[in-house]
Amino acid sequence: MANWKHRRTAFAAALFAVALVATACRGGGDTGGGGGDGEVATGTGVTAEACPDTPNQDNGCIYLGIISDLTSGPFAALAVPITDAQKAFWERVNEQGGIQAGDQAFDVDVTSYIKDNKYNPEVHRQVYQEIESEVLGLAQTLGSPTTAAIINDLEANNVVSAPASWTSAWDFKDVILESGTNYCFESMNSVDYAVDEFGAESVMAVHYAGDYGEDAAGGAEVAAEAQGLDFTAIETGQGPENQAGAINAITKQKPDLVIVTTGPTDAAAVVGQSAAKGFKGKFIGTSPTWNPALLESPAADAFKALYLQSGPWAPFGADTPGHQAMRDALGDVDPSDGYTAGWAWSYPMKAALETAAENGDLTREGLVEAVKSLTTVDYEGMLPEEAGNFADEPNDAVFRQSVISEVDEDAPTGVSVTKDLYTGPSAEGYEFSEPCF
């Protein structure tokens, strides 16, 4: 299809044949080619001058933007720790010497160009335009519908971006550096888990409209069909006051399993009020649905009794080198799996920058080509290295594993893994030729 992630073009080959080397000012156009005599080509968002407040005054600077839901949107409780974890991740990279490029080195700045999208696609597009000419790429673009609002611009300008979302559409985009499985496969695995663990025979997906909710609902429907289960999808709006329709559908139809793909406060209304009306089935929340504060809400007992949490990787307290490095870098914080996500999402950008630097081309085009060459990424154990395959066709490259966690009041973020990274039969056998939504 037209958006295959890994097309090869004659233009890409031409980029690496350029021999001139120059350093552009931040916000300037791409200049020169690199790779000879330890020199590196640079362009927009890369400077010979050091980053602000860097420990390495002799290094140049790579500027990456962040666009997140920092104040009033439904994911602000997750987005703030996501952003703080990314700051800590790149501080660690800089403390370790930065990105090495031949005889040069570059630190990475993710603090100078941070914007709030309020989880609004129009605002997201506006603030992207405000920083586009200043950055090499985006360390974070939060949200599926919000990132979809700028995807054409990202592609037109070769702006490589790490998404704070897991929609299956990203597997078909060269400029998107996704990590972990997508909502579609995550939901397939959740349905398969419910069949195996408690004999589910009917499934309902309660979801937001758009790429986030409908991608998860699409995966739930695929698995329900593969397993021969009854399936219903209920679209719901944002805001606890708008969940009555979903709650009535749950309590009337009484499915064995409800896949919830909302924000945490809306999940509290759906789970808590359904339980209060006598619903006794199981809920499995898609990864952004959970927040440990739910255990301090009036719905806490309902979550303890009925709820499981799916996710692309193990939560904050997990025992991997990457999780430990994250906790060490963050210091004394209230645990949140926003931190876990922000940290994990940063590894592929680091790998891509290192590859582009090794190729002598820290331009936007050079970074895209570096992404398209990656077959593995070192996630320090948070994910297997093969989760970082951006070089193969989507059906071969997509990472299909996810985890299931149970509510655990003693765990740092209120959940602990009950089923580690696995691929269910529905996800294993699915031919991934286009986005699920």
Side-chain angles (χ1 to χ4, degrees):
M1 54 191 296
N3 285 328
W4 280 132
K5 177 175 280 255
H6 313 293
R7 56 194 180 273
R8 297 291 185 262
T9 65
F11 173 68
L15 286 172
F16 291 95
V18 179
L20 296 175
V21 178
T23 299
C25 293
R26 179 178 18 167
D30 293 340
T31 59
D37 299 324
E39 296 178 315
V40 61
T42 61
T44 304
V46 183
T47 69
E49 295 77 22
C51 298
D53 303 317
T54 179
N56 306 306
Q57 288 298 317
D58 292 333
N59 286 3
C61 189
I62 297 168
Y63 289 89
L64 301 176
I66 286 177
I67 307 176
S68 197
D69 179 12
L70 299 174
T71 54
S72 58
F75 297 107
L78 287 171
V80 172
I82 286 170
T83 301
D84 287 344
Q86 292 191 312
K87 293 177 185 176
F89 181 96
W90 293 107
E91 286 176 5
R92 178 184 181 231
V93 169
N94 294 342
E95 289 168 358
Q96 293 174 342
I99 304 296
Q100 299 300 313
D103 297 333
Q104 306 171 64
F106 295 84
D107 288 344
V108 178
D109 177 291
V110 296
T111 62
S112 293
Y113 298 103
I114 297 177
K115 295 290 184 178
D116 182 10
N117 71 5
K118 307 180 189 298
Y119 202 68
N120 180 305
E122 290 299 322
V123 174
H124 196 96
R125 184 183 297 111
Q126 174 187 333
V127 297
Y128 168 73
Q129 295 296 338
E130 292 173 4
I131 65 173
E132 183 273 328
S133 64
E134 307 291 343
V135 298
L136 173 61
L138 296 179
Q140 181 193 152
T141 169
L142 184 138
S144 301
T146 46
T147 301
I150 64 168
I151 191 64
N152 291 339
D153 293 323
L154 296 178
E155 291 180 313
N157 297 313
N158 290 305
V159 178
V160 170
S161 303
S165 65
W166 290 274
T167 177
S168 60
W170 302 154
D171 292 275
F172 298 86
K173 300 296 183 181
D174 288 339
V175 294
I176 297 293
L177 276 169
E178 70 278 4
S179 289
T181 198
N182 55 57
Y183 302 121
C184 184
F185 286 109
E186 181 183 338
S187 295
M188 290 185 208
N189 289 336
S190 294
V191 171
D192 287 344
Y193 176 87
V195 170
D196 290 344
E197 294 297 320
F198 46 88
E201 296 180 354
S202 56
V203 179
M204 177 181 289
V206 172
H207 63 91
Y208 287 159
D211 295 51
Y212 168 44
E214 294 187 47
D215 204 60
E221 184 174 19
V222 166
E225 181 177 344
Q227 293 276 10
L229 313 182
D230 293 332
F231 176 78
T232 307
I234 303 295
E235 183 180 304
T236 192
Q238 295 180 21
E241 70 281 2
N242 295 319
Q243 304 312 312
I247 295 162
N248 289 338
I250 292 168
T251 56
K252 180 179 179 179
Q253 298 184 36
K254 296 181 174 60
D256 296 323
L257 170 67
V258 181
I259 300 291
V260 185
T261 310
T262 66
T265 56
D266 294 340
V270 170
V271 174
Q273 294 180 40
S274 295
K277 292 185 176 184
F279 180 69
K280 299 185 183 302
K282 291 289 187 180
F283 295 90
I284 299 181
T286 314
S287 43
T289 300
W290 177 253
N291 187 297
L294 292 170
L295 290 177
E296 301 172 6
S297 75
D301 288 343
F303 277 95
K304 294 174 190 176
L306 305 178
Y307 185 83
L308 294 163
Q309 177 63 37
S310 63
W313 41 63
F316 185 91
D319 183 19
T320 76
H323 283 83
Q324 186 61 55
M326 170 192 68
R327 293 189 294 267
D328 291 344
L330 289 168
D332 185 16
V333 297
D334 291 332
S336 165
D337 281 317
Y339 293 122
T340 317
W343 190 271
W345 272 319
S346 301
Y347 285 108
M349 182 66 81
K350 176 175 179 282
L353 289 173
E354 289 172 339
T355 299
E358 290 170 4
N359 293 341
D361 194 349
L362 276 172
T363 64
R364 286 179 173 176
E365 292 84 356
L367 189 56
V368 171
E369 288 305 309
V371 169
K372 291 160 64 176
S373 73
L374 294 176
T375 57
T376 61
V377 167
D378 181 3
Y379 285 94
E380 294 189 281
M382 297 180 84
L383 286 171
E385 289 189 358
E386 61 267 25
N389 184 353
F390 300 92
D392 291 331
E393 303 291 1
N395 189 59
D396 299 320
V398 65
F399 188 65
R400 300 172 189 249
Q401 300 178 35
S402 59
V403 306
I404 298 288
S405 297
E406 60 186 359
V407 175
D408 178 358
E409 292 181 274
D410 295 327
T413 55
V415 291
S416 58
V417 173
T418 187
K419 179 75 170 178
D420 208 348
L421 285 167
Y422 77 105
T423 305
S426 299
E428 182 69 35
Y430 185 70
E431 184 69 24
F432 188 46
S433 60
E434 61 184 359
C436 298
F437 170 72

